[in-house]
Amino acid sequence: MSVKIEDLSKQFNGVHAVNDVNLEIEKGELFAVVGPSGSGKTTLLRLVAGLEAQDKGHIYIQGRMVDNLEPAQRNIGMVFQNYALYPNKTVLENIASPLLVRGARLQEAKKDVEELAAKLGIQDILDRLPGEISGGQQQRVALARSLIKRPLVFLLDEPLSNLDAQVRFSARKFIKQLQREFQITTLYVTHDQSEALAISDRMAVMDKGIIKQVGTPREIYNKPRDEFVAAFIGSPPLNIIDVEIKNGIAYPLDIPLQGRENSVIKIGIRPESIIIGQGYNQATVSELEFSGGYSVAYLKIADIELRAVLSSSDEVKVGDSVHFAINKKGVLFFE
Amino acid sequence: MHRLSANIFYLPAIVYLAAIGLLPFALSIYFSSPSGNFSSYLQLFRSKEAMEVIANTGIFAFGTAGVATVLGLVLAIFVDSLKRLKRAFSALGYLPYMIPFTASALVWTTIYDPIYGPADYFLSLLGLSRINWLGQPSIQIYSATIVSIWSSIPLAFLLILAGLSSVPKQVREASAVDGMGMGEYYTSVALPMSRNSILTAFLMTLIIAFGNFDLPYILNGGLSYSMATLPFLVWFQIFYENQVAQGLAAAVILTIIVSVFAFILIRVNERRATGSKRRLRISFRIPNRIFNLAIKMVTILSFVFMVFPVYWMILMAFRPQSLDFVTPPILYPATFDVSTFISTAVQSEPYVITTFVASAITMIVTLLLAAPAAYSVARHGRNWLLILAIYLYTLPSASFVFGAYFIVYKLHMLNNWAALILTYPLFTVPFSIWTLSNFYKSLPRSFEEAALVDGYGPFRSFYQVVMPLIRPGLVATAMLSFIFSWHLLLFPLVLSETPYQFNFPPTGSFTVTVFATLFDPTSLGSSVGYNVWAQLASSGLILSLPVILLTLYSQEYLLRGLYLGGTKG
């Protein structure tokens, strides 16, 4: 086990930012923590980094308790949301900074920096200042600065949020590849659930300081433990509706459902599990949103409105009356 | 985590401020009533003259702050509403700021001259009767207040302009899209949003006027009570009449008055920092055309008022004396003669050397003390230090002058550069802590966190990562410290006896401000009389020049420093 977090709690002005969190991150794993803003995910990361002191609980990095260690002694690398590159130092000096602080000479450090910079594709900008390079390059410099000292754990705080949407895709893949190449245990914090699903080996969903669920992206997506996780993960967002069980059918939808007759229950339906043009459900298309490769249709049935994903080959218009079926795998039940 | 090292950051500053600020302050209180029976206070309150002085101080301070804030507000609205030439008009707006109080007062004594002065000439052009501005007791204090307003408008203008400029661009654009005219935009949007800046401008000009020794001292040639304010009375009683206890009683009363407004300023500053949600509601509506017209009229008149004395000073400095004493006064450049300016400059050499050495060393000491202390305020949560700094900054030099004199006397440093170097940081360290702490606060914490993760210790992180990042703040603070020290009058006047003697170890520590007062035609015992206006103007110009050059050279830095601290050098 590379990182172990035990009964960790931190309050700010009486508010639990992190509330009794337990986590185990395996060696070499890319572990994402995702949650809405204010969920405590960044605080969790900062506690691991040692930038905040916990009120309670313990943190172990490769079996060593680091509770009382300074950030620099914890053997971590960290990339900040705004990268925090020293604007008055060149790229070379920025990357070498953790080595220089430990007494290395710039000439000695230079070889290591150049080698690492080549791997990150930034070997040509070493004598520039951070203000003179692009956002994507700044991020690579920040990555290089945190990797140069070969940390045991790599901490990334919303590393993609300062990048343009187009660059974000390539940067995401780059981080993933880098992480795999270095085999480095990584804790990755983001508010973007699709980013977490795409990049992580395993992930945790956080809300109000509490870990709601831990698992692989597939597990989280397919078997969300509760309504919060189900609603937070997935895009377009999950449909959450009330249905009434009548004769083994979830009225007003045509889904077979076992349960107490005549009781109203809450279910979730993934928008991508609604298949238009089949089945016995009937609805009116009330709105259409075109998104390139697919479209989102809003289906009105009784007083319920469902989001459904259409392939771009489906030809429907607003006002059309359509049939649809629901793939049972995409139906989620909540207690 | 780093309790000890956090304390080391502010320790030097607090030791210094305690020794040279709090101790003199305590000495002042103690010696104001050494027997503990407060007889000096009773005597003061029974004296009709002292009551007159207290009333004068009120007229002077509130008159200055009220009018300067209103005019500064109008100028700020004018400059803020400009699309082009903002910088040029800003420069006009802070022109008097570059003229030290001492030089301003000197120039104004000639403007107010009952025979040859342009003030009366302008009155006669308007068909009004002549006024003996500085001679008639019933109006003397108002004449002094006008000079004070003149030198205070720039500070009010700069603080309010900064407030108006901080209204987000989108808000301004939204108001334009909504069809708001200038009058509506300013009265209903911009002014309410800049309320704290306006309040700060009023309080700062008020506090500075309460503590202003220089202007009344120079204008008050006859040492009459009808033009005296409290700081002047403090000096007069202690160092002229030798009535130490009574002078100190006046100092303590002045300190108490200023403390009230200092307290309000500290509260406003906290609100400015946290960003108050409360908004001032202004319900009056002025038609746009009238609003525009009024702003422009007042702006033009204010600019004339602000520029003329500077123009007059330069005019007098570079013309033969024969052109000064004619009626009506000659208001245009007729000839150009540098002889007086050069001879005065040569004469000023020992004074300039003293002032330069004292100001430069003060500047360095200030940075060494204030830079780490301000860091403690911004990052280690030492907010009490900020409150102490703001409080010490607002206190008039008259609150400390006796105690400082006492300490310097005991250390056998009177009439020595060391006396100035020891005491000057008392004025510069507090505002530097204030200004710099705001610079640090505007820096994202992630730089220091990255440094921490990289393995920098607290001190190394401070001087290798943080200091380079706030270089603009350090430059602004250094410049302001230098300018502030260059301006000081009361302390060098009291702590010195002669000009620098060109000897070693150096003796003599009259500063260039003291030099300029030698040409004060109204001053008691001044034998120079009427024939030295060119010298007077030249000395004023010599006194102002370094400040003008520094200001022009580092305008951007200074304006930012001013906004974050809010100071008057």
Side-chain angles (χ1 to χ4, degrees):
Chain A
M1 208 137 333
S2 192
V3 178
K4 188 175 171 199
I5 294 166
E6 217 174 67
D7 302 331
L8 198 67
S9 290
K10 173 73 180 174
Q11 291 193 16
F12 291 113
N13 305 321
V15 179
H16 274 99
V18 169
N19 195 355
D20 213 12
V21 162
N22 287 283
L23 265 187
E24 292 179 0
I25 302 171
E26 302 294 337
K27 196 164 182 202
E29 181 177 46
L30 200 167
F31 191 94
V33 177
V34 67
S37 58
S39 60
K41 55 189 188 303
T42 296
T43 306
L44 180 65
L45 185 85
R46 293 168 60 85
L47 286 168
V48 175
L51 294 170
E52 307 281 352
Q54 64 260 41
D55 302 332
K56 191 170 89 54
H58 305 289
I59 299 165
Y60 302 87
I61 293 178
Q62 286 206 341
R64 183 171 66 139
M65 191 172 87
V66 296
D67 293 357
N68 297 317
L69 296 183
E70 291 294 318
Q73 299 168 323
R74 294 189 180 196
N75 216 340
I76 50 154
M78 183 164 176
V79 174
F80 291 82
Q81 189 170 358
N82 63 357
Y83 312 139
L85 299 176
Y86 309 125
N88 51 316
K89 298 185 178 180
T90 64
V91 167
L92 174 70
E93 289 166 337
N94 261 286
I95 300 175
S97 147
L99 302 178
L100 301 182
V101 167
R102 290 164 195 198
R105 301 256 174 105
L106 188 62
Q107 283 310 318
E108 302 161 17
K110 205 172 170 188
K111 213 175 138 271
D112 285 357
V113 172
E114 278 168 351
E115 205 175 295
L116 181 64
K119 279 188 186 160
L120 280 100
I122 48 173
Q123 65 275 30
D124 298 333
I125 54 169
L126 288 178
D127 45 7
R128 297 221 217 138
L129 291 172
E132 300 167 351
I133 59 179
S134 73
Q137 289 172 325
Q138 287 178 7
Q139 192 201 37
R140 290 180 183 211
V141 174
L143 288 167
R145 181 176 67 180
S146 48
L147 287 173
I148 190 82
K149 57 183 177 182
R150 310 271 158 188
L152 295 173
V153 185
F154 200 25
L155 305 174
L156 304 173
D157 184 11
E158 303 266 8
L160 302 181
S161 63
N162 272 13
L163 296 176
D164 294 338
Q166 294 306 322
V167 187
R168 219 175 274 179
F169 262 88
S170 54
R172 185 164 86 185
K173 177 161 159 278
F174 181 78
I175 290 176
K176 178 87 179 158
Q177 284 175 339
L178 196 69
Q179 188 266 340
R180 202 174 287 153
E181 191 185 331
F182 281 78
Q183 292 278 313
I184 184 170
T185 313
T186 303
L187 183 56
Y188 185 112
V189 161
T190 176
H191 67 276
D192 183 342
Q193 51 86 27
S194 63
E195 201 175 302
L197 291 175
I199 202 171
S200 67
D201 298 318
R202 284 196 309 144
M203 60 190 279
V205 181
M206 259 186 109
D207 182 41
K208 296 180 185 134
I210 296 168
I211 300 266
K212 290 286 195 175
Q213 190 173 356
V214 179
T216 65
R218 270 171 209 284
E219 285 166 4
I220 303 261
Y221 181 79
N222 292 326
K223 296 198 183 70
R225 183 176 296 160
D226 63 8
E227 196 184 324
F228 174 83
V229 177
F232 189 74
I233 302 292
S235 172
L238 184 77
N239 295 295
I240 296 176
I241 53 171
D242 289 328
V243 293
E244 197 179 356
I245 304 175
K246 278 184 183 170
N247 305 322
I249 298 288
Y251 181 82
L253 300 177
D254 180 34
I255 316 171
L257 190 60
Q258 303 300 318
R260 200 149 55 83
E261 278 295 304
N262 296 325
S263 63
V264 174
I265 63 163
K266 196 171 264 186
I267 64 168
I269 299 171
R270 291 282 178 205
E272 53 275 32
S273 66
I274 295 175
I275 304 147
I276 300 235
Q278 307 174 6
Y280 300 104
N281 291 293
Q282 268 232 323
T284 316
V285 177
S286 60
E287 193 59 73
L288 266 176
E289 290 169 354
F290 178 68
S291 285
Y294 65 94
S295 301
V296 177
Y298 288 82
L299 305 176
K300 194 126 180 100
I301 174 165
D303 55 349
I304 294 173
E305 198 173 54
L306 293 173
R307 276 178 293 269
V309 174
L310 307 182
S311 78
S312 38
S313 57
D314 287 328
E315 298 242 340
V316 291
K317 299 191 297 294
V318 172
D320 281 1
S321 185
V322 291
H323 292 281
F324 66 91
I326 297 169
N327 184 343
K328 263 187 85 174
K329 271 187 164 174
V331 182
L332 310 166
F333 303 94
F334 310 119
E335 277 91 67
Chain B
M1 253 191 304
H2 305 291
R3 226 192 129 66
L4 184 70
S5 57
N7 289 338
I8 290 171
F9 274 90
Y10 67 81
L11 204 65
I14 201 71
V15 167
Y16 174 81
L17 290 177
I20 306 298
L22 299 179
L23 177 64
F25 189 40
L27 286 173
S28 295
I29 294 174
Y30 174 73
F31 283 110
S32 70
S33 182
S35 53
N37 60 5
F38 299 104
S39 60
S40 58
Y41 291 87
L42 290 175
Q43 243 176 314
L44 196 74
F45 281 117
R46 281 205 207 99
S47 130
K48 226 180 88 208
E49 288 82 9
M51 287 297 108
E52 191 185 348
V53 169
I54 291 176
N56 280 345
T57 312
I59 294 170
F60 183 80
F62 280 99
T64 299
V67 179
T69 306
V70 170
L71 293 181
L73 176 65
V74 171
L75 292 181
I77 289 177
F78 173 77
V79 170
D80 185 61
S81 70
L82 290 176
K83 297 224 164 39
R84 286 175 298 136
L85 294 175
K86 262 189 193 191
R87 269 166 158 250
F89 280 102
S90 294
L92 276 185
Y94 60 74
L95 189 60
Y97 190 84
M98 299 190 272
I99 314 297
F101 283 139
T102 308
S104 329
L106 284 174
V107 173
W108 277 88
T109 58
T110 68
I111 293 174
Y112 278 151
D113 187 88
I115 302 168
Y116 305 108
D120 273 344
Y121 172 66
F122 290 139
L123 284 185
S124 70
L125 286 183
L126 296 172
L128 299 171
S129 59
R130 290 178 164 273
I131 297 177
N132 189 351
W133 297 90
L134 295 176
Q136 193 182 325
S138 61
I139 65 154
Q140 278 175 328
I141 189 65
Y142 299 99
S143 306
T145 307
I146 289 173
V147 182
S148 174
I149 291 168
W150 178 81
S151 24
S152 301
I153 292 173
L155 179 62
F157 162 72
L158 289 171
L159 288 172
I160 297 172
L161 181 63
L164 292 179
S165 322
S166 70
V167 173
K169 207 174 149 209
Q170 294 94 317
V171 172
R172 181 183 295 237
E173 288 168 351
S175 78
V177 171
D178 291 350
M180 280 193 198
M182 208 173 126
E184 276 171 318
Y185 168 71
Y186 283 106
T187 52
S188 67
V189 179
L191 294 188
M193 288 179 78
S194 342
R195 182 180 61 154
N196 281 340
S197 310
I198 299 169
L199 205 54
T200 305
F202 178 81
L203 289 167
M204 289 299 304
T205 47
L206 183 75
I207 287 168
I208 291 166
F210 263 119
N212 194 331
F213 165 78
D214 314 13
L215 284 183
Y217 170 75
I218 289 168
L219 294 170
N220 195 354
L223 298 180
S224 81
Y225 285 108
S226 51
M227 202 197 282
T229 63
L230 276 168
F232 178 82
L233 185 71
V234 173
W235 169 82
F236 183 68
Q237 294 278 9
I238 301 175
F239 297 101
Y240 197 86
E241 298 267 290
N242 241 336
Q243 298 281 341
V244 173
Q246 275 195 50
L248 288 177
V252 170
I253 288 166
L254 175 65
T255 306
I256 292 170
I257 296 172
V258 171
S259 300
V260 173
F261 297 103
F263 175 75
I264 302 174
L265 180 72
I266 289 166
R267 293 295 305 273
V268 172
N269 182 58
E270 274 166 5
R271 221 165 47 202
R272 197 166 71 160
T274 54
S276 157
K277 289 279 180 288
R278 266 175 33 213
R279 295 279 181 243
L280 185 70
R281 298 230 171 271
I282 298 182
S283 54
F284 65 89
R285 283 264 182 279
I286 307 170
N288 284 316
R289 288 177 67 181
I290 296 177
F291 183 85
N292 291 354
L293 190 69
I295 294 283
K296 281 191 184 125
M297 297 272 289
V298 176
T299 300
I300 291 168
L301 290 175
S302 303
F303 276 143
V304 171
F305 172 58
M306 287 164 77
V307 172
F308 177 75
V310 181
Y311 168 75
W312 179 243
M313 173 168 77
I314 296 169
L315 195 67
M316 284 193 300
F318 298 111
R319 71 183 182 188
Q321 312 193 348
S322 56
L323 293 179
D324 291 334
F325 304 105
V326 287
T327 48
I330 300 169
L331 297 177
Y332 52 88
T335 54
F336 187 75
D337 176 4
V338 292
S339 59
T340 315
F341 182 78
I342 289 173
S343 67
T344 313
V346 169
Q347 222 182 320
S348 73
E349 193 188 345
Y351 303 87
V352 170
I353 291 174
T354 300
T355 319
F356 187 85
V357 169
S359 302
I361 296 180
T362 299
M363 176 176 93
I364 294 163
V365 171
T366 301
L367 286 186
L368 290 177
L369 294 179
Y375 190 68
S376 263
V377 172
R379 288 295 197 250
H380 308 144
R382 299 298 192 275
N383 208 43
W384 57 266
L385 184 60
L386 178 65
I387 291 170
L388 177 73
I390 298 178
Y391 183 59
L392 283 177
Y393 171 63
T394 58
L395 288 188
S397 48
S399 302
F400 310 104
V401 66
F402 175 77
Y405 177 83
F406 189 82
I407 292 170
V408 166
Y409 174 78
K410 287 281 174 199
L411 294 172
H412 304 287
M413 294 201 306
L414 281 179
N415 201 28
N416 191 315
W417 287 354
L420 307 185
I421 293 163
L422 181 71
T423 53
Y424 276 14
L426 170 58
F427 302 101
T428 54
V429 167
F431 81 72
S432 301
I433 291 179
W434 188 5
T435 312
L436 281 174
S437 69
N438 287 324
F439 273 98
Y440 291 125
K441 282 176 189 166
S442 66
L443 191 74
R445 267 176 198 267
S446 50
F447 287 116
E448 288 130 286
E449 291 174 348
L452 203 58
V453 172
D454 284 354
Y456 288 82
F459 299 108
R460 219 163 149 192
S461 157
F462 174 67
Y463 72 83
Q464 286 193 350
V465 174
V466 177
M467 296 283 269
L469 292 178
I470 60 143
R471 229 192 95 223
L474 295 173
V475 173
T477 311
M479 300 276 170
L480 287 170
S481 297
F482 188 90
I483 293 173
F484 204 107
S485 313
W486 191 272
H487 283 189
L488 288 174
L489 174 64
L490 176 60
F491 269 47
L493 193 68
V494 165
L495 301 177
S496 315
E497 285 145 9
T498 57
Y500 171 48
Q501 314 284 319
F502 292 100
N503 55 354
F504 192 86
T507 52
S509 58
F510 270 164
T511 57
V512 69
T513 40
V514 178
F515 172 71
T517 63
L518 299 178
F519 303 99
D520 178 2
T522 69
S523 98
L524 195 78
S526 162
S527 57
V528 283
Y530 265 134
N531 53 358
V532 290
W533 280 12
Q535 263 180 302
L536 172 155
S538 296
S539 72
L541 202 56
I542 291 164
L543 178 53
S544 313
L545 263 181
V547 180
I548 294 175
L549 294 178
L550 265 185
T551 311
L552 294 179
Y553 173 69
S554 55
Q555 204 175 347
E556 293 296 307
Y557 285 138
L558 284 183
L559 292 185
R560 204 162 135 65
L562 274 175
Y563 174 56
L564 290 176
T567 62
K568 158 76 182 173

